[in-house]
Amino acid sequence: MTRTSILIVEDDGILALHITDMLTRMGYTPLPPVATGRQALASVENSDVDLIIMDIELAGPMNGIEAAVHDITKEYDTPVIFVTEFPKALLLQKTKIVSPCDYIFKPIQERELAVTIEMALQRHQLKKQLRETQAALAASEARYRQRFDHAPLGAYMSSPEGTFVSLNLAMARMLGFDSAQEALEHISDIGAQLYFNPSERELFLENLTGRGFVQDFEFRARKINGEIIWLSDTARLEILPGSDSQIISGFIQDITLRKVAEESVQRTTMRLASMVRLLQRPSENLQSFLDASLDEAISLTESRIGYIYHYNEKTQEFSLNSWSRNVMPQCRVAKPQTCYSLAETGLWGEAVRQRKPILVNDYSSGHPLSKGCPEGHIRLTRFLTIPLIMNNAIVAVVGVGNKEMDYTEADILQLQLLMDAVWKAVGQQQAENNYQQLFQSMTAGFALHEIITNENGTPCDYRYLSVNPAFERLTGLRSEDIVGRTVLEIMPDTEPIWIERFGKVALNGDPAKFTSYSKSLGYYYEVSAYCPEPRKFAVIFQDVTELKNTLDRLHATTLRAQELAEQSQAASKAKSEFLANMSHEIRTPLNGIMGMLQLLETTAHNQEQQECCTLALQSANRLTRLLSDILDLSRIEAGKMEIRKDPFCFKETLQEIIDLFMPLTLQSKIKFELYIDSNIPTNVEGDSLRLQQVLTNLIGNAFKFTQQGRITVEAYPLPALKDNQARVFFTVSDTGCGIPEDCLAILFQPFAQAIEGYTRSHQGAGLGLTICKQLVKLMDGNISIESEAGVGTSFHFCATFGILSDSLQQDFSGDVTTQKETPCRVLLAEDDVVTQFAVRKLLEKAGHTVVSAWNGKEAIDLLNVEDFDIILMDIQMPIMDGIEATKKIRTSQTEPKATIPIIALTSYAMAGDRENFLAAGMTDYLSKPTNLADLMRVIANTFNR
């Protein structure tokens, strides 16, 4: 047991020791005595002191009373026994501000000291306990008030007459007030102001009076803002102490969320029950099903009236499907409508316009979107309408009205869920009807089967579940004879391979498609099998006998076509080879003839000889043009004619044509005009030579058939079909004899002539216009003609060219080369005697030195021992041809002979020949027959590169 520690404060040292001895004998623990008030304070602060025995009169600035007043009794709550010599009356006056525990007078007796100490300790302990009890009581009261005011449950006290005596903050906030005081001031009649239905208040008081308490009494209450909530009240009726007055004390709980959840569950149950009734209800047709659905919607939302309107989003029109049964007897509208346009509708059409539900709980107060009801319409108090959206399109609107209480979001949700399910059921019913209609009317046979397996799970048979009429028609089997039976029961000879194949479909889900032949029916069937659900397979098949026969015939036809195509290719190849050989064989002697005529022309001495040479050369040129036309037509038909895409000056290209025909213009005295629109680009990209070929043919024909008047060439821009394109419209018109109308249709056919027989006044093979048409087509254009006999003819065509980028734009008009005037040494490799003689003589007359070789080997030998400026190389020669000779020269180690210009002078003029020769290393190409002017031009161009 802990001993009581006592501090002695006495400035009389002997008395202090005396008191210490007495305390020791009494069993207390005396602390070292101190003599002043300040020392007493220091001891109390630094030691555990249970009691102080202190003299009132102490030496120093602070006596015992002052020390006690400062901290000892106040801060440390330490009991003090004052030791004094003063009379009791004077002592009480001095120490009343300290409230000491006790007093002891000098001289101090041991027994009196012991009693005084014990009583002082007990008295101090009792005071301490009293203070603690009072503090605990105050804290308990504070906690109670705190809990009362801030309890999660509402707490209240009220009179049976309906006046609140008190209520806590939780209940005040439950009712929409900011404080309990505000609620007390506002509510003066609980039944009239708090209860939504005052009769529920009467029932509450009846139960409370009868039993003295009420537990979990649920009722609807109205908050200060008018919102309806659910509350649960547990209350007791008590008698106030000392009087006969009664008071009701209770606890309130907000159960709105629970009631909403219960109502939601109840509504969901009702909706599911509605769906069950609808699905189990036998409906004769879709209309009766929707009528029943509307009844369920009205019942589910506790409404009195309702409607369903179909809606067409394309026409924006409503058409009535159903009104509730109790509407029409009450309706007094003279001519009720069943169809409305969206623009005619008011508030109920907003469900479509806004694509969301519309809810109005105070219809009579008016709505800005309402257009009112027609005279005689049933009175509306509350209204709810929703759109039904399927595949992102509104298909119908459903409306209900005149519910006794307000519509809520729960009504919207339940109505939407119910009607969505209804419309899906409608869709399924329509799909089922469509399926049955398709099932019955499809031309392909259909059968549904169930696979049968043995104890090992291996397919061993299958059973027919259903078949369509087409199946019966195609197989000759009747539905009533096979449905429910297995295939082995119906056809015992069925091969196991069929059961195995269909078993894989039913058990593995792998679809199968194949063609089969029925010996018994003599038909080919195309069969498709798939698995609609586990252990079942469906088969769709149709008679493809005729298709099979057609495919067989088509296959045979295809083989024949391939055979003919191969024959055609062989014929085309033979034709090309023939034309190539004939071109070579004709051009070689023709080149000799023209060369000799040109030589003869240079030696002619009289007018008659000159005319003969000129006429002979004209005939040779006609033959050359005919040969070129035949080869061009052959290239086009073989698809080997290519249009180059090179930059050229548009105006200069057309001007060259004008210059070409200028001598003929002067001779015939026909006015020849050219007009080029300024909006046509100066430089374009395309094939200038083929453009000139088309224009040359058309202008040549114009001169051929025009005796007097004029010939005009015009070019105008056309709108481009694509970016970076220039389309040009050309017209070549003349004032010639014109073409009969019955001949226009055949002009562009090969070898066609406007005038047949022996009376033709104009020469030609009839290939020019055919080639023009094909060349224009290759230039992404077309050509047409207009003509009137005796008036003239106009050819119109368009061609497409590329537009050069700015970086490629340049002046191409300065590319005219000048002939090299300095004579040069020419090595001529040519095996044809006449051609060699003619070319050599022509070149010598032009001032050049010519050395001849009869083949490529001889040309190489001459090149090795002599110096030459240029080589004219024939292609087809004995011993070594021109291509092999060119390759050997190009691979020679001797410079500059390996780079000497080599010009192919050959009768090979078919498509691709020029490219092949250039690829072999030749510098340029000139086809036979040639004339001196072309030869000089090529030589000059070669040296000016």
Side-chain angles (χ1 to χ4, degrees):
M1 181 177 179
T2 304
R3 298 175 63 182
T4 303
S5 59
I6 300 175
L7 175 64
I8 302 169
V9 185
E10 175 60 61
D11 56 356
D12 183 347
I14 296 175
L15 180 58
L17 290 175
H18 176 61
I19 296 172
T20 299
D21 291 340
M22 288 189 290
L23 293 177
T24 302
R25 288 193 297 271
M26 294 176 190
Y28 297 111
T29 302
L31 298 175
V34 296
T36 67
R38 292 191 181 279
Q39 291 175 343
L41 291 176
S43 296
V44 172
E45 182 177 354
N46 297 319
S47 304
D48 292 331
V49 179
D50 297 321
L51 179 68
I52 300 174
I53 298 175
M54 183 164 55
D55 194 354
I56 292 178
E57 294 295 333
L58 295 174
M62 181 182 293
N63 60 29
I65 295 175
E66 291 173 342
V69 169
H70 273 78
D71 287 308
I72 293 175
T73 59
K74 291 184 178 181
E75 181 175 350
Y76 298 102
D77 192 27
T78 304
V80 178
I81 297 176
F82 285 116
V83 178
T84 181
E85 296 175 336
F86 296 108
K88 188 173 183 179
L90 181 60
L91 175 66
L92 292 176
Q93 183 179 358
K94 286 181 176 290
T95 60
K96 62 182 180 181
I97 60 174
V98 183
S99 300
C101 290
D102 217 331
Y103 313 93
I104 190 169
F105 296 95
K106 297 178 182 179
I108 299 174
Q109 301 298 322
E110 185 173 343
R111 180 176 179 81
E112 182 182 4
L113 178 61
V115 173
T116 301
I117 291 174
E118 190 63 27
M119 291 182 66
L121 290 174
Q122 290 180 6
R123 188 182 297 112
H124 178 70
Q125 184 64 28
L126 290 174
K127 287 181 179 181
K128 184 177 180 180
Q129 290 177 355
L130 178 61
R131 287 194 304 270
E132 291 175 352
T133 301
Q134 290 174 341
L137 180 59
S140 177
E141 289 178 352
R143 287 195 299 272
Y144 170 77
R145 175 52 60 183
Q146 179 75 9
R147 290 171 182 173
F148 181 80
D149 287 338
H150 296 89
L153 295 179
Y156 72 93
M157 297 179 70
S158 70
S159 67
E161 291 75 24
T163 303
F164 280 117
V165 176
S166 66
L167 52 83
N168 67 350
L169 182 60
M171 183 169 178
R173 289 178 175 172
M174 212 177 286
L175 300 177
F177 297 100
D178 293 330
S179 66
Q181 186 62 34
E182 183 183 0
L184 290 172
E185 294 173 356
H186 185 272
I187 300 175
S188 58
D189 188 338
I190 296 175
Q193 294 177 267
L194 179 61
Y195 277 74
F196 174 76
N197 188 351
S199 63
E200 293 180 342
R201 173 67 176 179
E202 296 175 1
L203 179 61
F204 169 78
L205 293 174
E206 181 181 340
N207 292 337
L208 185 64
T209 304
R211 296 186 296 173
F213 70 93
V214 171
Q215 185 171 359
D216 297 331
F217 181 83
E218 297 177 357
F219 65 97
R220 287 170 295 178
R222 182 183 289 108
K223 295 175 66 173
I224 185 64
N225 61 1
E227 180 185 351
I228 306 301
I229 60 174
W230 278 92
L231 300 178
S232 175
D233 193 348
T234 297
R236 179 177 297 277
L237 184 62
E238 300 177 354
I239 305 296
L240 290 175
S243 70
D244 296 332
S245 300
Q246 293 180 322
I247 193 168
I248 302 172
S249 60
F251 293 96
I252 294 289
Q253 183 178 3
D254 187 343
I255 59 171
T256 303
L257 292 178
R258 176 169 64 82
K259 295 298 288 186
V260 169
E262 290 175 355
E263 288 181 3
S264 177
V265 172
Q266 182 181 6
R267 287 175 179 271
T268 301
T269 303
M270 292 173 60
R271 174 170 51 82
L272 294 176
S274 297
M275 284 304 304
V276 171
R277 285 193 296 272
L278 286 172
L279 295 177
Q280 292 180 346
R281 179 182 183 276
S283 298
E284 298 177 358
N285 50 47
L286 180 60
Q287 183 62 55
S288 62
F289 178 74
L290 290 177
D291 289 343
S293 300
L294 180 58
D295 291 340
E296 293 292 346
I298 293 172
S299 174
L300 179 64
T301 57
E302 300 177 3
S303 303
R304 295 183 180 178
I305 58 174
Y307 62 81
I308 297 176
Y309 271 90
H310 294 283
Y311 181 69
N312 188 319
E313 280 204 337
K314 292 183 179 179
T315 62
Q316 294 190 336
E317 290 181 339
F318 297 90
S319 57
L320 178 64
N321 180 86
S322 302
W323 266 108
S324 53
R325 294 187 182 93
N326 58 343
V327 168
M328 298 314 295
Q330 303 177 50
C331 182
R332 297 294 182 265
V333 178
K335 294 181 179 180
Q337 286 184 246
T338 58
C339 294
Y340 293 87
S341 68
L342 179 60
E344 292 180 277
T345 62
L347 183 60
W348 68 282
E350 289 301 311
V352 171
R353 282 187 281 267
Q354 299 185 34
R355 299 180 75 86
K356 68 177 184 179
I358 301 298
L359 184 153
V360 178
N361 280 321
D362 191 6
Y363 195 88
S364 59
S365 64
H367 193 281
L369 298 175
S370 176
K371 293 185 178 181
C373 297
E375 185 177 352
H377 193 282
I378 188 171
R379 180 176 175 271
L380 289 177
T381 57
R382 295 177 178 87
F383 173 69
L384 168 62
T385 181
I386 63 169
L388 291 181
I389 301 176
M390 296 293 167
N391 298 324
N392 205 32
I394 297 177
V395 297
V397 290
V398 179
V400 291
N402 291 359
K403 181 181 179 181
E404 181 179 355
M405 296 181 60
D406 286 351
Y407 289 107
T408 65
E409 293 294 327
D411 293 306
I412 294 176
L413 177 61
Q414 294 300 329
L415 185 59
Q416 281 184 322
L417 292 175
L418 174 64
M419 297 313 298
D420 283 347
V422 165
W423 227 257
K424 288 178 181 178
V426 169
Q428 291 175 354
Q429 182 62 42
Q430 291 175 337
E432 177 65 22
N433 293 339
N434 294 337
Y435 167 76
Q436 288 298 330
Q437 184 177 3
L438 175 65
F439 184 77
Q440 297 297 326
S441 61
M442 63 188 298
T443 57
F446 177 88
L448 180 64
H449 312 81
E450 177 186 33
I451 200 70
I452 300 173
T453 56
N454 58 22
E455 61 276 6
N456 298 323
T458 304
C460 60
D461 203 347
Y462 58 84
R463 179 177 289 104
Y464 287 90
L465 300 180
S466 64
V467 297
N468 71 341
F471 177 94
E472 297 178 304
R473 184 181 68 256
L474 291 172
T475 63
L477 300 173
R478 297 189 306 170
S479 173
E480 56 267 26
D481 295 335
I482 62 174
V483 172
R485 301 176 62 193
T486 68
V487 68
L488 294 180
E489 291 175 345
I490 301 167
M491 293 175 282
D493 296 333
T494 300
E495 298 180 11
I497 186 66
W498 294 107
I499 299 175
E500 180 183 351
R501 176 177 290 182
F502 290 133
K504 290 181 179 180
V505 175
L507 298 179
N508 301 335
D510 301 329
K513 187 174 184 179
F514 53 88
T515 301
S516 178
Y517 178 73
S518 173
K519 294 182 180 179
S520 60
L521 299 176
Y523 295 149
Y524 281 97
Y525 289 103
E526 184 180 73
V527 181
S528 296
Y530 65 95
C531 176
E533 57 183 284
R535 300 189 65 83
K536 292 182 182 179
F537 68 94
V539 171
I540 300 175
F541 67 96
Q542 53 187 343
D543 181 1
V544 293
T545 304
E546 184 61 31
L547 177 62
K548 180 72 167 53
N549 294 336
T550 301
L551 290 176
D552 289 343
R553 291 193 296 270
L554 179 61
H555 180 65
T557 303
T558 303
L559 293 177
R560 178 58 180 164
Q562 291 176 348
E563 181 180 349
L564 292 176
E566 292 173 357
Q567 293 176 0
S568 175
Q569 289 178 352
S572 177
K573 182 178 180 181
K575 173 185 172 183
S576 298
E577 292 175 352
F578 171 76
L579 287 174
N581 291 330
M582 289 303 299
S583 172
H584 184 273
E585 295 304 319
I586 293 174
R587 286 176 182 273
T588 299
L590 186 59
N591 187 62
I593 292 171
M594 292 185 66
M596 297 306 294
L597 288 173
Q598 290 178 77
L599 283 175
L600 185 59
E601 193 174 33
T602 62
T603 62
H605 298 290
N606 58 55
Q607 183 68 26
E608 182 180 0
Q609 291 175 335
Q610 184 69 38
E611 290 177 356
C612 290
C613 288
T614 300
L615 293 174
L617 280 172
Q618 289 178 356
S619 298
N621 285 328
R622 280 186 55 205
L623 183 59
T624 300
R625 285 195 299 271
L626 176 61
L627 184 60
S628 296
D629 286 346
I630 292 173
L631 293 179
D632 282 346
L633 184 62
S634 175
R635 292 190 192 103
I636 292 172
E637 290 178 346
K640 295 181 179 180
M641 177 68 77
E642 295 182 357
I643 297 297
R644 301 174 65 86
K645 294 183 178 180
D646 298 322
F648 67 91
C649 176
F650 184 84
K651 182 177 180 180
E652 184 175 303
T653 298
L654 266 63
Q655 187 61 47
E656 288 176 0
I657 300 295
I658 300 300
D659 296 342
L660 177 66
F661 284 95
M662 193 54 65
L664 186 57
T665 300
L666 298 175
Q667 179 182 350
S668 62
K669 297 182 180 181
I670 296 173
K671 190 173 183 180
F672 190 25
E673 298 177 339
L674 170 66
Y675 173 77
I676 301 175
D677 190 282
S678 60
N679 292 317
I680 297 176
T682 301
N683 300 315
V684 295
E685 185 179 67
D687 197 328
S688 61
L689 293 179
R690 293 305 176 187
L691 175 61
Q692 288 180 333
Q693 183 177 353
V694 173
L695 290 171
T696 300
N697 266 298
L698 297 179
I699 296 171
N701 284 341
F703 274 104
K704 186 188 302 183
F705 293 100
T706 302
Q707 302 301 321
Q708 61 182 2
R710 70 177 63 226
I711 296 173
T712 304
V713 179
E714 301 170 87
Y716 300 93
L718 288 175
L721 300 179
K722 297 179 180 179
D723 294 338
N724 300 322
Q725 279 189 351
R727 296 178 69 232
V728 181
F729 180 79
F730 297 90
T731 295
V732 178
S733 58
D734 63 59
T735 58
C737 62
I739 303 172
E741 186 176 354
D742 57 348
C743 297
L744 295 178
I746 65 170
L747 278 183
F748 294 104
Q749 296 179 8
F751 307 105
Q753 297 282 350
I755 300 176
E756 301 291 347
Y758 299 109
T759 60
R760 284 195 297 139
S761 58
H762 305 287
Q763 298 173 340
L767 292 177
L769 291 180
T770 302
I771 295 172
C772 286
K773 180 180 180 179
Q774 298 299 327
L775 289 177
V776 168
K777 184 177 180 181
L778 290 173
M779 289 187 286
D780 295 328
N782 50 60
I783 188 169
S784 64
I785 180 175
E786 58 177 338
S787 182
E788 183 178 352
V791 177
T793 302
S794 293
F795 283 91
H796 310 287
F797 72 94
C798 64
T800 302
F801 305 100
I803 296 179
L804 300 177
S805 62
D806 294 340
S807 61
L808 295 178
Q809 284 287 352
Q810 55 179 301
D811 186 7
F812 296 102
S813 62
D815 290 343
V816 178
T817 58
T818 59
Q819 294 185 359
K820 177 180 175 67
E821 297 181 357
T822 303
C824 59
R825 285 179 55 81
V826 179
L827 175 58
L828 173 63
E830 173 62 61
D831 67 326
D832 182 72
V833 177
V834 178
T835 299
Q836 186 188 96
F837 176 81
V839 172
R840 179 170 56 81
K841 286 296 183 180
L842 288 172
L843 290 174
E844 287 175 349
K845 285 182 176 291
H848 302 294
T849 301
V850 181
V851 177
S852 300
W854 295 101
N855 55 62
K857 183 179 183 306
E858 188 174 334
I860 293 174
D861 292 341
L862 288 171
L863 183 62
N864 289 333
V865 296
E866 296 186 39
D867 294 328
F868 296 96
D869 298 313
I870 192 170
I871 301 175
L872 300 181
M873 183 79 72
D874 190 15
I875 299 301
Q876 183 175 316
M877 294 183 293
I879 301 175
M880 183 183 292
D881 61 42
I883 292 178
E884 184 180 354
T886 298
K887 290 180 178 179
K888 287 185 176 294
I889 292 172
R890 294 299 184 221
T891 57
S892 171
Q893 301 298 321
T894 304
E895 289 288 349
K897 293 185 178 182
T899 60
I900 186 172
I902 302 176
I903 297 175
L905 186 63
T906 177
S907 296
Y908 287 105
M910 296 295 289
D913 288 341
R914 173 186 175 88
E915 289 73 15
N916 292 335
F917 301 151
L918 295 180
M922 293 184 172
T923 309
D924 210 336
Y925 164 88
L926 190 63
S927 65
K928 299 176 183 177
T930 185
N931 56 53
L932 181 60
D934 290 339
L935 185 58
M936 293 299 102
R937 176 181 55 79
V938 171
I939 292 174
N941 288 341
T942 301
F943 284 112
N944 283 279
R945 289 180 179 175

